[in-house]
Amino acid sequence: MNTYPRWSLDTIYPGFSSDAFIDNMNLLQKTCEAVVILAEDAAELSEHPEEFTGWLKDVTGHLNMMNDLYENLEAYAYSRFSVNTQLSEAIDGLNRIHTLALGVKAARVAITNALAMHEVQVQRLCAADRQFESYTFVLQEMIDDRQHLMSPELEALAADLQRSGGSAWGRLQESLSSTASILWHRDSGEYKSVIELRSLAFHHDRAVRKRAWRKELAVWKSLEIPLAAALNGVKGFTLSLDERRSYSSPLDHALKQSRITKKTLDALIGVMEGAAPILRTYLKKKAQLLGVEQLAFYDLFAPVGETGSRWTFDEARAFIIRQFTEFHTPMGEFAERAFDLQWIDAQPDEGKVGGAYCIHFPLVKESRVLCNFDGSFSSVSTVAHELGHAYHGYVMKDLPALRRAYPMTLAETASIFAETIIFQGALSDAPAGARLSMIESYLKDATQTLVDILSRFYFEQELFAQRAERELTAEQLCELMKEAQLRTYGDGLDPEQLHTYMWAVKGHYYDPELAFYNYPYAFGQLFGMGLYSTYRRDGDAFCENYVQLLTDTGSASAEEVASAAGFSIETSEFWQGGVDLLTEYVEEFCILADAHMK
Ligand SMILES: [Zn+2]
């Protein structure tokens, strides 16, 4: 059996009982208290400019320290937990840090109020004093957030009720969906979990895929009452809090969180609507390849063509370093260091979480990547994706915490871009036989991030509109989902074989603090692809711009970040670059598929 590298966390903390870890925990608590005291001081600040400068310097310094400490500690506990979810000291460590998080939250509320109290002076200092200039956007954002805060007492109550109210619905959905199972074969008495059933969507045999889809729908049907109650609960919770916090709608709140304007969202959605028919062409050609009249929902992930070549971890390493270097030498050198310094945990293991992520440790200016390598091209691509995130962290590592917090829309920029580099590289190396399945697999993912995400956006929009009036039954939720899928997949899928319980599947709908956590994926995908098509046009001249763009992602709105790099995301032109790239793939896919069927 293959063994793949494990990461080392020794440079972060030697352990939960180490002096370094305990000291940082204590320091975090003291820093939160100091921030609250600074907020209290604000009421007595005189108009004296020197006094105010000193105060603001203290505020930014303490907020940076508080955020760095919290991120570092939480990242450490989560990393330890995620490679061994049964590890009691990691569970305990996470719980202790999440208790401290209440203090962090209260400190942020207090200081936001204090900054808002001195809005004019803060603005004046940001404009006049160089040491604060780069904080202009983030401080103004905090001041503007003040309009969206209830009183400190109510905010404290809301934070407290979050666990037993808002986020409890998400935990219910998570525990129901992670433990549900159904009898698969009467003879053998074998049961399959929902997760197993969903992974059968990748099976080569259509009969198996169809059976898994039917069984999965039956499981959701049996759980529809508690799941519908949970969804009504979480959306009601969000609506109530958003109203009290003076957001005009949950979408308005989401736009502020993602630092984009409504105009940008409209441009993005418009381009996604334009991309849907292009991807339907791909779906219809895929139906022909599978020899069916029309694709069913359970055919979306069906494999076509030759299965791709297998990769050893060393091959993946060499390939990623080479492709990154070809794009931009410092990015290649960075990847090489990440591999050499044991920053990657690649070995699948019992008790280790599935999927992949990248996490940053600001106090030591390092990152780590967790993945479950299996030798497929897709897992090579995942390593590249996560190293893209790590590179993003690397170019921002010397910035203060307040300027490193980028919005979810820009969070996937570096990762999608890195993935695109790898895909292009692999495609140009690929023998003719492998091209069909490689392009197909790319289009399969793009269909998810563009067409399926669009259906989720429509669904959530309608859900909020109706939930504001009344609670919805499971049947009504299924009906809404069906409409959303018909509207986006159109004639690309058989209308009788959709997946009307997707509202039960996706945990994203159940997060009370992150409504509409769907369009940021499409944003990331098209933004990364749009950047790649700019790179194809401008060549090496693009690289400096790209690094600057990544560096600025936490210091301005998404529009300003993009505009500094030379594009406007409020118009469809930029987004179209990504769609054009996609169209090229669909065209090539159709040609290859026709040749394959001859
Ligand atoms: Zn990512």
Side-chain angles (χ1 to χ4, degrees), residues 65-135:
M65 184 148 85
M66 180 177 84
N67 293 353
D68 277 346
L69 281 163
Y70 182 73
E71 189 179 351
N72 211 72
L73 288 161
E74 215 258 353
Y76 177 72
Y78 185 72
S79 306
R80 293 286 308 273
F81 168 77
S82 59
V83 289
N84 182 0
T85 52
Q86 302 303 315
L87 189 68
S88 57
E89 59 169 347
I91 298 169
D92 179 55
L94 266 179
N95 280 330
R96 274 155 55 206
I97 293 160
H98 289 156
T99 306
L100 284 183
L102 289 176
V104 173
K105 220 166 180 174
R108 282 187 190 142
V109 169
I111 209 69
T112 299
N113 281 313
L115 286 166
M117 200 190 297
H118 296 284
E119 177 169 5
V120 179
Q121 267 168 298
V122 172
Q123 286 166 342
R124 202 180 301 149
L125 259 191
C126 285
D129 191 331
R130 284 197 60 140
Q131 63 173 319
F132 299 117
E133 199 187 332
S134 60
Y135 289 112

Side-chain angles (χ1 to χ4, degrees), residues 385-386 389 411-412 415:
H385 176 108
E386 301 306 336
H389 282 304
E412 294 300 329
S415 52

Side-chain angles (χ1 to χ4, degrees), residues 356-358 385-386 389 411-413 415-416 419 521:
Y357 70 77
C358 171
H385 176 108
E386 301 306 336
H389 282 304
E412 294 300 329
T413 310
S415 52
I416 302 279
E419 235 183 80
Y521 287 102

